[in-house]
């Protein structure tokens, strides 16, 4: 839960990502289903979808399975994570292009929709704004963007992060260790409040950011390219 972006470059550190992520993110499979539904509202037929932070491949596999008429471009700075994505999405490889890099290395589009899941909490405000603007530049007008990540949902962000840490540890939860994990996460992750998140989406050129997912310290929004 507290790993920084550098940890994702180590193949050994990410080897169990696909197995671990569903235990760390409440309702992850349903988050992927909701993401597909929300993106699909603005992309009802064949479409090219941009997946930012595609390493691991979990949302790619879920969307590709649900929407055989979609093609995907996934970008991620971690080659190790993209290797996991390639293995996990092998059944759909003819419809998925995976690129090492950030959104800056993604094709110009226009794409019919985009996702950025479990990524933005690693980026400071300026980096987030840049990434969101680059996503917006690559989307067709009106296309949907779905984002979800850790936030600071209340005045006591460490309490919410400790709850997320406890959820991730399942039956082995230890309150003292959960609080220690939360302190590390609060120091490493430049979390924003939900109000700040929505303001940033608007500043990046997205309209009508709407909360659709709330799970302990995680929040998710859908917004539309203006």
């Amino acid at each position: 839960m507290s790993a920084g972006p550098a940890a994702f470059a180590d193949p050994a550190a990410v080897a169990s990502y696909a197995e671990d992520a569903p235990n760390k993110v409440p309702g992850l499979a349903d988050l992927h289903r909701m993401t597909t539904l929300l993106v699909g509202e603005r992309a009802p037929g064949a479409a090219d979808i941009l997946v930012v932070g595609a390493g691991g491949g979990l949302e790619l596999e879920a969307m590709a399975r649900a929407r055989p008429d979609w093609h995907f471009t996934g970008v991620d700075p971690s080659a190790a994570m993209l290797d996991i994505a390639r293995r996990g999405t092998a059944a759909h490889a003819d419809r998925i292009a995976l690129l090492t890099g950030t959104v800056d290395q993604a094709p110009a589009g226009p794409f019919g929709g985009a996702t950025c899941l479990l990524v933005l909490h690693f980026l400071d405000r300026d980096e987030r704004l840049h990434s969101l603007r680059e996503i917006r530049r690559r989307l067709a007008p009106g296309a949907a963007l779905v984002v979800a990540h850790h936030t600071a949902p209340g005045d006591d962000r460490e309490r919410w992060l400790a709850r997320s840490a406890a959820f991730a540890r399942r039956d082995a939860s230890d309150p003292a260790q959960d609080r220690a994990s939360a302190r590390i996460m609060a120091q490493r992750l430049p979390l924003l409040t939900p109000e700040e998140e929505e303001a940033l989406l608007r500043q990046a050129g997205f309209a009508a950011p709407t909360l659709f997912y709330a799970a302990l310290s995680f929040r998710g929004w859908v917004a539309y390219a203006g």
Side-chain angles (χ1 to χ4, degrees):
M1 297 289 290
S2 59
F8 292 103
D10 180 357
V14 301
S16 61
Y17 177 86
E19 293 75 28
D20 293 343
N23 293 327
K24 294 181 176 181
V25 183
L28 183 59
D30 287 327
L31 173 60
H32 293 157
R33 290 180 60 200
M34 290 185 283
T35 295
T36 306
L37 183 155
L38 292 167
V39 172
E41 287 179 346
R42 298 295 179 97
D48 293 319
I49 306 299
L50 176 63
V51 180
V52 179
L58 297 179
E59 67 266 47
L60 266 174
E61 195 281 331
M63 289 190 291
R65 179 165 27 90
R67 292 298 304 262
D69 52 345
W70 284 357
H71 286 73
F72 303 89
T73 297
V75 295
D76 197 286
S78 168
M81 289 290 284
L82 286 178
D83 284 342
I84 297 173
R86 286 189 185 90
R87 293 194 294 271
T89 62
H92 315 287
D94 60 325
R95 295 187 288 123
I96 298 174
L98 295 176
L99 307 175
T100 304
T102 67
V103 65
D104 298 271
Q105 281 72 55
F111 291 92
T115 68
C116 187
L117 304 184
L118 309 181
V119 172
L120 293 180
H121 53 226
F122 292 117
L123 306 182
D124 65 28
R125 190 187 183 284
D126 289 343
E127 292 171 324
R128 291 190 202 201
L129 180 58
H130 172 79
S131 295
L132 289 170
R133 282 176 169 165
E134 289 302 308
I135 294 171
R136 167 61 193 89
R137 285 202 313 115
R138 289 163 169 79
L139 289 180
L145 166 68
V146 172
V147 301
H149 43 267
H150 282 297
T151 66
D155 293 336
D156 190 351
R157 68 182 62 192
E158 286 191 20
R159 176 177 295 181
W160 284 105
L161 291 170
R163 289 165 173 161
S164 289
F167 178 89
R169 292 166 60 80
R170 303 288 171 152
D171 295 338
S173 180
D174 178 318
Q177 189 161 353
D178 295 335
R179 289 192 295 270
S181 295
R183 285 193 294 273
I184 294 172
M185 293 168 68
Q187 292 167 1
R188 293 182 178 177
L189 302 180
L191 303 184
L192 302 181
T193 67
E195 294 78 14
E196 291 170 330
E197 299 273 7
E198 294 182 12
L200 205 64
L201 284 163
R202 291 190 180 94
Q203 188 177 352
F206 290 95
T210 303
L211 183 74
F212 76 92
Y213 168 77
L216 300 176
S217 59
F218 293 95
R219 295 291 184 274
W221 287 267
V222 60
Y224 304 96

